[in-house]
């Protein structure tokens, strides 16, 4: 082994460095060993070699070293960089000190004629600089490692507790930050503390156990808010009788720092799970109310106080318009400054809709689950592959006719003079406002809501049992999806024969707004407002946050969605998208065995085995009207096109083509930067760092509804549900308690 590439290390453990009255430093007590090491070794190999030599556990100890020119200033040794420095500035040998459970005494305590190196070492005149104690030493109560093992605390939690306070001289930016660190230490060390003195200038913290020496004092630095630890005596003297008395208290304002990261990554972290985790990891007993308050406090630390979020809304709207020119972000408030309405349409959405989306918009509302509730209005369209393209959204303190009218008027500004079809449910505020802004002839009612209302009416009639209800719903489907007037009339007569009251209900509920054959405008076979429901589900987590956080998070999610759809263009095999390809493939398969007859001109006769239909390739029409209504060749048209040897995709409407999809996502969007976001003063004024003030809003005046807040939406009657199977006879539709089937 080349001597120039090795270094000899003196290893010290279990003793202490002291300095006598003459200024000489020596290591008293403990154990010493020697070890020859290669200068090229890594830090992990270094730790493994040292722990093997000293026969100690590799988890727990920390290492320090001294330099030849300053033997009483410990240097931290915790990574490869520190190890390289030790090898570089040490000639042929180095002194390494191993610390397993080190404590720091009060600066008034002197032991054995000297002081421990970990605190300020007093010589004949001057103190040692702070670098002597700014080391990565485990500052914790005795037995902490054992308690961590018993309570299954992971490395992350343990590390946070160990680094809460490093020792005397540790500084904190505010007094609250110091108080949080004290609380983390109490949880980690399983003890309870109290403030003997608690003010912004001077704080003294002691253990609640009588006679326990644990003590921390901190003082403000000058006239600043910075707090510096002055005394740090980190050892306890507890008896078995003191264990129950010294259990850490549950303080929601302080304990939130322990779950901040969990709430950020998992917003659905339940209070009952918080209770279990605190009991398992920290040995603390929380009731449900404490866990709920803890989660709410953590959300406030992460997202801000909900009351203050409305004050920043005007600044956010202004910044959004400046960042993305062409964006519409407008709000309204009451005479006394309380928030009422907000409308946002980003320029990238406006550009994409105007340049390539079909003129059909699905609108809907959903509840906001934040502290002030309210309603979320949305307007979404379809891209060239039937993907969701969010166009605009609005936040309102309520949902009524005036709110919908204001929202749709702003939406009309986005659309311009272009005629569009609006699909929605039959909320009275929507029906009235759509009629005024877009015209009632352009309003298509969501068939899923029609069917649910019909089902409720059918239940009240209690007609012909369960089988009769299923038959009636199938007849309603025939009415709604009939493309020809003659087929519609036949379906209505069939329902009238089944039950006259049901046929009368259909006629009274405006079939011209939901039946295919009666709706005179082109709606591209879009019968429901499921697109708007998809929008609500897309923002299901963000709807729980306050208005400013929702404002920013919507931009982030929209940007990710647009990028995802734009990157999806690589999956297009030709000029039409994957979803359109599936529909065409299905129509081609259905028309595979159809018989076609050539005629002069562009028309052809197609026989599907039941009837003869005419297909005109030049006009792109079919007798069944499916081609005209959807823009995609129907099964009869596919048979005729293939009979002529043409490509079916060439006869698809341009709304479904690649070039339009590319144009829709050709825009750009800049992120909303908030590094210079103004702050809210104690008097409620919104002010930036330069002293400029901004207009602000107050929270809406809302009343908390009675009862427990609903977390899950009311499901549709026609959503697919899990089939119940009997464990007695293995038959579907009932359970064991209601089973009447005889056993074999």
């Amino acid at each position: 082994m080349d001597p120039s590439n090795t270094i000899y290390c003196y290893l010290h453990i279990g003793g202490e460095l002291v300095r006598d009255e003459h200024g000489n430093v020596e290591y008293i007590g403990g154990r010493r060993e020697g070890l020859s090491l290669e200068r090229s070794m890594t830090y992990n190999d270094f730790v493994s070699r040292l722990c093997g030599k000293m026969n100690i556990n590799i988890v727990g100890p920390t290492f320090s070293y001294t330099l030849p020119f300053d033997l009483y200033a410990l240097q931290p040794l915790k990574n490869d960089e520190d190890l390289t420095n030790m090898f570089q500035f040490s000639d042929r040998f180095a002194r390494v000190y191993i610390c397993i459970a080190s404590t720091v005494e009060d600066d008034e305590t002197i032991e054995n004629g000297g002081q421990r190196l970990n605190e300020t070492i007093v010589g004949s005149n001057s103190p040692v600089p702070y670098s002597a104690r700014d080391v990565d030493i485990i500052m914790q109560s005795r037995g902490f490692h054992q308690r961590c093992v018993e309570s299954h605390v992971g490395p992350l939690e343990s590390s946070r507790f160990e680094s809460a306070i490093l020792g005397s001289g540790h500084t904190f930016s505010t007094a609250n930050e110091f108080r949080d660190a004290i609380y983390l230490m109490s949880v980690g060390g399983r003890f309870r503390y109290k403030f003997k003195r608690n003010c912004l200038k001077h704080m003294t913290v002691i253990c609640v156990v009588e006679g326990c020496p644990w003590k921390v004092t901190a003082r403000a630095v000058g006239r600043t808010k910075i707090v510096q630890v002055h005394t740090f005596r980190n050892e306890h003297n507890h008896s078995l009788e003191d264990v129950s008395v010294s259990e850490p208290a549950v303080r929601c304002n302080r304990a939130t720092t322990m779950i901040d990261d969990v709430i950020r990554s998992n917003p659905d972290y339940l209070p009952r799970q918080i209770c279990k985790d605190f009991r398992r990891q920290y040995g603390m007993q929380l009731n449900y109310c404490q866990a709920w308050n803890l989660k709410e406090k953590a959300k406030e630390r992460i997202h801000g106080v909900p009351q203050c979020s409305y004050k920043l809304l005007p600044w956010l709207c202004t910044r959004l318009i400046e960042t993305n020119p062409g964006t519409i972000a407008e709000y309204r408030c009451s005479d006394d400054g309380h928030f009422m309405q907000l409308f946002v349409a980003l320029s990238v959405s406006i550009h994409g809709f105007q340049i390539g989306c079909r003129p059909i918009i699905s609108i809907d509302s959903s509840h906001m689950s934040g502290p002030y509730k309210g309603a979320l209005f949305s307007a979404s369209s379809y891209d060239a592959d039937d993907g969701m393209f969010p166009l605009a959204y609005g936040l309102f303190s309520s949902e009524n006719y005036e709110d919908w009218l204001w929202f749709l008027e702003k939406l009309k500004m986005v659309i311009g003079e272009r005629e569009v079809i609006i699909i929605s449910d039959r909320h009275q505020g929507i029906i009235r406002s759509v009629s005024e802004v877009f015209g009632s002839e352009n309003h298509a009612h969501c068939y899923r809501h029609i069917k649910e209302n019909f089902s409720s009416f059918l239940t009240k009639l209690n007609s012909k049992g369960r089988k009769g209800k299923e038959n009636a719903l199938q007849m309603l489907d025939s009415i709604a999806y009939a493309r020809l007037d003659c087929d519609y009339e036949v379906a209505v007569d069939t329902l009238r024969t089944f039950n006259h009251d049901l046929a009368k209900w259909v006629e009274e509920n405006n079939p011209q707004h939901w039946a295919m054959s009666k709706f005179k405008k082109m709606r591209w076979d879009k019968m429901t407002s499921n697109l708007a429901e998809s929008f609500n589900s897309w923002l299901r987590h963000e709807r729980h946050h306050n208005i400013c956080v929702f404002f920013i998070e919507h931009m982030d999610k929209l940007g990710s969605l647009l990028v995802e759809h734009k990157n999806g263009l690589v999956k297009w095999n030709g000029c039409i998208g994957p979803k359109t390809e599936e529909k065409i493939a299905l129509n081609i398969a259905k028309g595979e065995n159809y018989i076609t007859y050539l005629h002069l001109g562009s028309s052809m006769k197609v026989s599907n085995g039941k009837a003869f239909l005419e297909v005109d390739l030049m006009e792109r029409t079919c007798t069944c009207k499916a081609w005209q209504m959807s823009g995609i060749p129907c099964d009869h048209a596919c048979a005729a096109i293939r009979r002529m040897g043409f490509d079916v995709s060439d006869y698809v409407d341009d709304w479904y083509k690649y070039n339009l999809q590319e144009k829709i996502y050709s825009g750009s969007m800049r992120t909303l930067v908030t590094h210079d976001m103004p702050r809210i003063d104690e008097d409620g004024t919104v002010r930036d760092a330069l002293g400029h003030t901004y207009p602000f809003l107050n929270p809406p005046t809302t009343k908390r509804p009675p009862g427990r807040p609903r977390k899950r939406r009311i499901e549709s009657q026609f959503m697919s549900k899990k089939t119940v199977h009997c464990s007695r006879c293995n038959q579907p539709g009932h359970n064991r308690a209601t089973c009447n089937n005889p056993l074999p």
Side-chain angles (χ1 to χ4, degrees), residues 194-232:
K194 64 180 179 181
F195 281 89
K196 193 174 181 180
R197 186 172 182 178
N198 189 10
C199 65
L200 295 178
K201 294 297 182 182
H202 191 183
M203 287 170 282
T204 301
V205 193
I206 61 174
C207 183
V208 296
V209 176
E210 191 70 26
C212 179
W214 188 87
K215 180 181 179 182
V216 179
T217 63
R219 296 173 183 171
V221 178
R223 296 183 178 181
T224 66
K225 295 182 179 181
I226 299 175
V227 175
Q228 186 176 39
V229 176
H230 182 256
T231 303
F232 186 67

